[in-house]
Amino acid sequence: MTYHLLLKMGDSEIRAWKHLSPQRKAALSVHCEITRGRKRPNKDKSAPIEYNIAKIYSAIAEDFTECQVCVVDITREPSLRSSETQSLGNSANGYALWVAKVNELHAENAKVRPTLIVNPSEDDDYNQYETAILTQFDAFAERYDLISYRASVLHDEGFIDDLTMLADRANAFVEQGKRFEILLDFEFVQASTAPLHAAYVAPLISQIRTIIPHASIVSLGTSFPKSVTDVGDEERDEFRLEELALYEAINRAQNQPIEYGDYGSINPIRNDAFIPVGQYLRARIDFPTDKKSIYYHRVAPNVDPNTKKLISPRSSMYKAAAKRVMADASHSPLRGSWGYDKIVEAATKAPEGSSPNFWISVRMEMHICRRLDAMAQQATSSGLGDT
């Protein structure tokens, strides 16, 4: 069983990936979503915002060579799009720009594999729509042993029609010993909604099994909120990983198990386009447990009531948060984890990082380690060996 990890390629996600051990990287199928980069410096205030995604291309080529495969995709999240990502998704000539970009990335990193893009222009009629997708599939089928298709399962009711259209080609592709995988992306999964989503998707999976019987099917999503206080208290709380509960609920209803994927416990909305909240931001450290949950501790700043100046350095706030994390009843050690080592270090001496971005990387690296360790333990207990 493979763990599928979707990365939206923000700085904190790339940092988390770089600190993951080679052994754990080798156990992952990574889906790198090409998103906008950070805003380019521009002194002309009237000029449109431009984003540079060269750093993301460079990371795909250089940093994702140790995973099982590096499936590349274009973001579907509106806040992460740019003129560059829009151009890549152009349907003209069988998505020629996208096919060329995938081939270019594959030439630099042999682990790269494609995701089929379905993004017809408003002027395309049905024949143009069909021809563009099939032409794209044929171009990828000639070169690659894996083609991925990602469906926004809760918002795109037409994806079954796409799979029906692709069925003959996909089945022939699989019969050649190659792999056609379908990611059922639930995106942000709200708390306590796993049973509802599992019941909704069950007949859709049955349809997929009928159309393309030997396709690999993956459940994908995230339940990490944009703000933890949306689901918990101000200083400390704990919530379960709803995407994991969803995956388990789906598999209980299926004769043929599907595979697990998530966003590395990252919220889909990147916050680098918003105005920083400033010096009064609370310091927060999150801790993924071995009980399918995450707890957090937040430390409020000490502010002079007269001058309104921040008295407590941010490093001391993170140190206090780390101490509370280590003393929490839900804490358990996590061996071989860079993120865990950073929390232990912060609780005993000066923290290495004093920004939310750094501690997002810590949470993410630990979350990936937890899920991989749990899957390996489950495989061992079932007699299937390591995953």
Side-chain angles (χ1 to χ4, degrees):
M1 187 69 71
T2 300
Y3 176 10
H4 296 258
L5 176 66
L6 178 78
L7 296 180
K8 290 185 176 292
M9 302 298 283
D11 289 348
S12 59
E13 292 162 283
I14 294 173
R15 182 193 296 116
W17 174 260
K18 287 183 175 179
H19 286 289
L20 200 64
S21 70
Q23 293 80 8
R24 284 178 166 131
K25 287 178 179 176
L28 285 161
S29 176
V30 184
H31 297 253
C32 289
E33 197 177 78
I34 297 175
T35 55
R36 62 168 173 76
R38 282 186 173 274
K39 181 182 176 182
R40 286 191 181 109
N42 194 334
K43 295 180 181 179
D44 181 1
K45 301 298 182 185
S46 64
I49 294 175
E50 292 184 79
Y51 293 96
N52 187 345
I53 59 176
K55 184 177 180 180
I56 291 174
Y57 293 147
S58 175
I60 290 172
E62 298 172 7
D63 297 327
F64 290 86
T65 59
E66 298 175 273
C67 48
Q68 288 184 11
V69 291
C70 174
V71 181
V72 291
D73 194 0
I74 304 173
T75 188
R76 292 99 192 274
E77 167 51 46
S79 67
L80 298 181
R81 293 174 186 160
S82 66
S83 58
E84 295 154 306
T85 63
Q86 291 292 92
S87 176
L88 279 178
N90 191 312
S91 62
N93 302 314
Y95 295 87
L97 291 177
W98 174 237
V99 172
K101 174 54 69 178
V102 173
N103 291 342
E104 178 185 320
L105 291 170
H106 181 262
E108 297 177 325
N109 177 1
K111 295 292 180 69
V112 166
R113 298 292 184 276
T115 297
L116 276 179
I117 301 302
V118 181
N119 184 38
S121 72
E122 293 182 357
D123 297 330
D124 287 354
D125 59 27
Y126 182 78
N127 287 334
Q128 291 170 310
Y129 168 80
E130 181 181 47
T131 299
I133 294 175
L134 297 182
T135 300
Q136 179 190 189
F137 184 96
D138 291 344
F140 286 144
E142 283 185 3
R143 185 163 186 162
Y144 300 103
D145 58 0
L146 165 65
I147 298 176
S148 185
Y149 175 95
R150 180 173 157 206
S152 178
V153 66
L154 299 179
H155 305 291
D156 178 14
E157 298 177 351
F159 82 90
I160 291 291
D161 294 332
D162 288 344
L163 294 178
T164 302
M165 179 177 68
L166 288 163
D168 288 345
R169 281 172 164 80
N171 285 323
F173 187 69
V174 174
E175 287 173 3
Q176 295 170 19
K178 301 177 180 179
R179 188 150 56 99
F180 184 70
E181 68 176 17
I182 301 165
L183 272 64
L184 301 177
D185 188 356
F186 290 86
E187 301 173 31
F188 180 68
V189 186
Q190 293 187 2
S192 304
T193 59
L196 181 67
H197 291 323
Y200 169 77
V201 81
L204 296 176
I205 292 177
S206 296
Q207 281 186 269
I208 294 171
R209 297 286 192 210
T210 301
I211 299 167
I212 309 174
H214 300 294
S216 303
I217 302 177
V218 182
S219 171
L220 182 70
T222 180
S223 58
F224 200 91
K226 186 176 177 182
S227 171
V228 292
T229 52
D230 290 343
V231 297
D233 292 337
E234 281 291 318
E235 295 188 355
R236 192 272 180 203
D237 219 319
E238 186 166 349
F239 56 91
R240 76 169 180 172
L241 295 167
E242 199 67 23
E243 65 272 34
L244 185 56
L246 169 60
Y247 160 75
E248 293 174 339
I250 293 173
N251 270 345
R252 281 194 295 271
Q254 301 291 320
N255 292 326
Q256 301 177 52
I258 65 172
E259 298 187 357
Y260 173 76
D262 64 30
Y263 288 30
S265 205
I266 294 289
N267 186 270
I269 308 298
R270 196 186 299 165
N271 65 5
D272 61 357
F274 303 104
I275 300 172
V277 296
Q279 63 177 338
Y280 301 131
L281 179 72
R282 289 179 180 235
R284 191 188 85 227
I285 294 180
D286 312 306
F287 192 88
T289 75
D290 56 0
K291 301 175 182 175
K292 307 175 185 178
S293 65
I294 293 178
Y295 69 84
Y296 62 85
H297 280 276
R298 300 208 313 161
V299 174
N302 188 5
V303 180
D304 186 303
N306 297 316
T307 65
K308 305 301 180 186
K309 289 184 176 179
L310 183 68
I311 298 173
S312 51
R314 296 207 61 78
S315 59
S316 68
M317 294 164 61
Y318 277 105
K319 188 179 185 69
K323 286 182 176 179
R324 295 179 192 180
V325 166
M326 297 295 292
D328 197 289
S330 293
H331 165 265
S332 62
L334 180 54
R335 293 180 179 177
S337 164
W338 165 83
Y340 181 73
D341 291 345
K342 291 298 110 179
I343 293 178
V344 174
E345 181 182 289
T348 55
K349 52 186 178 182
E352 179 177 324
S354 57
S355 70
N357 186 288
F358 178 85
W359 291 100
I360 289 172
S361 301
V362 167
R363 178 184 75 234
M364 183 172 191
E365 195 269 353
M366 291 183 64
H367 171 84
I368 296 168
C369 292
R370 286 289 192 204
R371 297 276 49 83
L372 283 172
D373 289 357
M375 293 173 74
Q377 186 176 13
Q378 185 178 17
T380 299
S381 62
S382 65
L384 297 177
D386 294 338
T387 57

